[in-house]
Amino acid sequence: MLNPIVKKDVKVQSRSMRICWGVFIYELILALAFFLAMIIMEQQIRFSTSNIYSAMVWLYPVLALTQIGILGLIVPVRTASAISGEKERQTFDIMLTTSMTAFSVVMGKVMTAMIQSMFFVIASMPVMALSFVIGGMSWGYLFGFLALALLVSLFSASIGILCSSLCKKSISAVIMSYIIYIVFFLGTFLPYLLYEVALMNAAYSTTQTTNAALTYTYGENLYLFLLVNPAVYLAEFFGRVMTGESVVNTFATLTGAHQTKGLINHVATGSRWMVISTVLFVGISFLFLWLASKRIDPIKRRAKKRAKKQMQQPDMQVIVQENIMQKPEDGQ
Amino acid sequence: MLQINHLYKSYGKFQAVSDLSLHIPKGDLFGFVGPNGAGKTTTIRMVCGLMLPNAGTIKINGVDALANQKEIKKQIGYVPDFFGVYDNLKVREYMDFYGSMYRMHSREIAQIAGDLLELVNLSDKTEVYVDTLSRGMKQRLCVARALIHNPALLVLDEPNSGLDPRARVEMKELLLNLKSMGKTIVISSHILSELSEMCNSIGIMDHGHLVAAGRIEDVMDDVFGSNQLVVTFDEGRERAVRIANEYAGVKVTSVGEKEMKLSHSMTKQEIAGMIATMIENEVVVTGFHRQEGNLETLFMRVTENAGAQEGGNDYAESNR
């Protein structure tokens, strides 16, 4: 049975002109990216022996990354208002008094966001198809891109929903979503950067022998944080598609991570990195959704247990003094 | 039907609901009255599972509402004090949406929604967008929506706020209709005159406490006393006062130009005897009746003496 929220939201949004304008602007941005890429290619080919058709395969990463970028930007905006919008419309309480669980509500909102995203992506297929029809890209990569777009939508939507459940206002939720993005994009680079700085300091301050010992220990395992870095994930995905080589494997070889001890040696080989990274992104998305559902659930499990425990105690006045202090709602 | 025992809820240091105990029998139309901030909405939200109490139990049809949320949600229909509607959704789709949220089949929803829309006089609006309906229609639609899963208990929080007089009358008729169908209804409102016309029982809250509760007549008797008598006359005021004072257990509380008020502990026969004596002594008695209060005066009396009154029957068991 289809989630009622998905059914309703898709129906309501499809009647709005906003979705038409959204697709129009999306296509417009893609068209601009397409023409810009064509101009650059044309300039490059003028000074080389290769023909324009073989260069057109590069439309694939250009258009795909443009779309991923747009999705990454708009999905949190759409989902950040999912819960707070229901609250503002004052339909949220009614929703929670029905048989729907908090997780079903959250999943309904995420699925709506994913369907919307895929609607945009599928609408862009004619533009994307140019790199397949003229450029000679394999059609398998098209499905690869669709899967990537789904993953990006799920991840972005889960961040948006989590922020929407944490913030009262939609705008705060959007800002918080972008801050979480920054944490994933830049924050996961920090351990690697700090380790590199430490290594450089060690190289300047110690002898050659000590430096070698420092390099090939467990330190390189800090690179594992990059498993949840979206930029690294995209680089790995498009690196494999366009050149057939793994960016991570090359990086691991260059930094000597393959010679180190610990997990990194096993993870940064072959296609393992990509698989583990995908699983982690899906896992984090569901973790965020679970947290959001706990956040919006008015009868939180832990509080319920505490309430039951309190009820078993004889002196109610004592209980009141020890009550869970909660913020006022609705002025009551 | 609804059994609340020693319910507490605080927001920080503010005690919103304190030691609330209440029992509402099946089939009652219960009016929840109280000034702003008295704790009515908090209590209603806790009953509907939208808020967790700090202590106490809520049972609906004997089922613990806190421990069995899934079961309880099927037994409650909630109408908040606002219209939760969506743009670009038709009346039929609105009902369909909420029906499917209770995991009902579309055929079942269509059938029940048709009956409910007829009940709330909206059967000709099924293909109309919800946001184009009038306020009164939206509120009736909300009631129909709350009944889609046939709940045993219908809870309405200020359903008449912002409605015009006609819409209020229609809402009152709808609720009375539902009551006659055997639904248990809890309604919170500030419009006391309407509550007194609709409800057979009330609960008055003030500063988080339930200060009075029960059948309206019983609460009136508790507050005003059932032994207040008003005697009206044209002539013979002094004689009437003298005769009244001659009866043991009678106290004249006030004397006006053409009426006097007594508090007494007489039987009906003794009252008849006293009136007969007055007439025999040439007092021109034009009438006599038990002094009746109304919900407004009851509310004012009870809330101004908050803390002094306590519910005295099976509805309220306030333990302050």
Side-chain angles (χ1 to χ4, degrees), chain B residues 31-273:
Chain B
F32 222 3
V33 191
N36 289 332
K40 307 185 299 290
T41 301
T42 301
T43 307
I44 282 178
R45 288 175 68 82
M46 286 191 282
V47 168
C48 293
L50 292 169
M51 202 179 266
L52 188 76
N54 296 141
T57 56
I58 299 167
K59 285 183 180 175
I60 297 166
N61 268 341
V63 180
D64 190 334
L66 299 175
N68 304 286
Q69 273 294 305
K70 209 173 176 181
E71 176 61 32
I72 288 303
K73 281 179 175 181
K74 290 176 189 165
Q75 299 202 32
I76 292 183
Y78 173 55
V79 179
D81 56 347
F82 44 78
F83 314 116
V85 294
Y86 298 95
D87 299 336
N88 294 324
L89 208 62
K90 293 174 182 174
V91 168
R92 180 180 48 79
E93 292 166 345
Y94 180 80
M95 295 295 283
D96 185 58
F97 170 54
Y98 282 102
S100 56
M101 289 185 103
Y102 287 101
R103 309 195 196 294
M104 293 163 69
H105 293 289
S106 50
R107 195 180 294 173
E108 190 186 1
I109 296 169
Q111 193 184 340
I112 295 172
D115 294 343
L116 287 171
L117 291 174
E118 203 172 317
L119 181 76
V120 299
N121 283 330
L122 290 173
S123 52
D124 56 334
K125 305 281 183 192
T126 51
E127 294 305 316
V128 171
Y129 285 102
V130 174
D131 55 341
T132 63
L133 294 176
S134 69
R135 217 174 157 82
M137 285 177 181
K138 278 181 188 167
Q139 194 61 296
R140 278 183 285 145
L141 179 64
C142 275
V143 174
R145 185 267 308 152
L147 292 167
I148 189 82
H149 59 298
N150 194 22
L153 177 67
L154 183 64
V155 182
L156 303 100
D157 191 7
E158 302 281 353
N160 287 340
S161 60
L163 296 187
D164 62 42
R166 186 180 183 83
R168 281 181 186 177
V169 171
E170 285 170 348
M171 179 59 79
K172 189 179 85 180
E173 283 171 1
L174 173 62
L175 293 177
L176 287 172
N177 207 354
L178 289 170
K179 183 178 175 272
S180 69
M181 291 174 179
K183 292 273 178 215
T184 309
I185 303 168
V186 175
I187 173 172
S188 93
S189 180
H190 284 123
I191 306 161
L192 302 176
S193 55
E194 281 179 8
L195 281 186
S196 62
E197 287 169 27
M198 282 192 289
C199 302
N200 54 340
S201 54
I202 54 159
I204 301 176
M205 281 197 82
D206 194 28
H207 294 97
H209 297 280
L210 187 69
V211 288
R215 304 225 159 252
I216 291 183
E217 315 85 73
D218 297 340
V219 177
M220 295 275 190
D221 284 350
D222 282 348
V223 175
F224 296 115
S226 58
N227 51 357
Q228 298 290 317
L229 191 70
V230 180
V231 181
T232 55
F233 40 75
D234 268 349
E235 286 174 24
R237 186 174 70 167
E238 285 75 20
R239 284 194 297 278
V241 172
R242 181 174 50 77
I243 292 165
N245 281 329
E246 283 170 4
Y247 278 79
V250 173
K251 187 185 173 191
V252 178
T253 52
S254 71
V255 182
E257 188 65 30
K258 290 193 173 181
E259 84 169 20
M260 68 173 178
K261 289 177 182 171
L262 326 165
S263 68
H264 64 90
S265 55
M266 295 187 290
T267 62
K268 284 178 182 173
Q269 285 76 19
E270 285 170 334
I271 292 171

Side-chain angles (χ1 to χ4, degrees), chain A residues 28-46:
Chain A
L28 194 69
I29 294 169
L30 275 188
L32 288 173
F34 172 78
F35 284 118
L36 192 69
M38 287 296 283
I39 291 166
I40 294 168
M41 278 177 213
E42 200 263 333
Q43 293 293 323
Q44 283 178 340
I45 285 158
R46 193 175 287 176

Side-chain angles (χ1 to χ4, degrees), chain A residues 254-270:
Chain A
L254 284 173
T255 54
H258 277 156
Q259 293 163 287
T260 193
K261 296 169 184 173
L263 263 181
I264 185 74
N265 195 16
H266 304 285
V267 172
T269 47

Side-chain angles (χ1 to χ4, degrees), chain A residues 1 4-5 7-8 11-12 15-16 86 89-91 93-101 104 298-299 303-304 307-308 310-311 316-317 319-320 323-330 332, chain B residues 8-12 14-15 39-42 45 48-52 54-57 66-67 73 78 80 82 84-89 93 96-98 100-104 129 145:
Chain A
M1 195 176 168
I5 293 174
K7 194 176 162 189
K8 185 266 298 170
K11 190 180 282 180
V12 167
R15 283 175 178 158
S16 163
E86 291 282 353
R89 212 182 291 117
Q90 298 182 316
T91 46
D93 281 348
I94 300 174
M95 209 175 258
L96 290 178
T97 56
T98 67
S99 295
M100 292 283 282
T101 60
S104 306
I299 309 289
K304 196 158 69 178
K308 270 187 179 175
Q310 284 177 344
M311 274 178 257
M316 290 295 175
Q317 291 298 338
I319 292 162
V320 175
N323 270 338
I324 319 145
M325 296 307 181
Q326 296 191 14
K327 288 179 183 173
E329 285 175 38
D330 300 335
Q332 289 288 323
Chain B
Y8 288 89
K9 179 72 187 175
S10 62
Y11 301 117
F14 176 66
Q15 195 71 37
K40 307 185 299 290
T41 301
T42 301
R45 288 175 68 82
C48 293
L50 292 169
M51 202 179 266
L52 188 76
N54 296 141
T57 56
L66 299 175
K73 281 179 175 181
Y78 173 55
F82 44 78
V85 294
Y86 298 95
D87 299 336
N88 294 324
L89 208 62
E93 292 166 345
D96 185 58
F97 170 54
Y98 282 102
S100 56
M101 289 185 103
Y102 287 101
R103 309 195 196 294
M104 293 163 69
Y129 285 102
R145 185 267 308 152

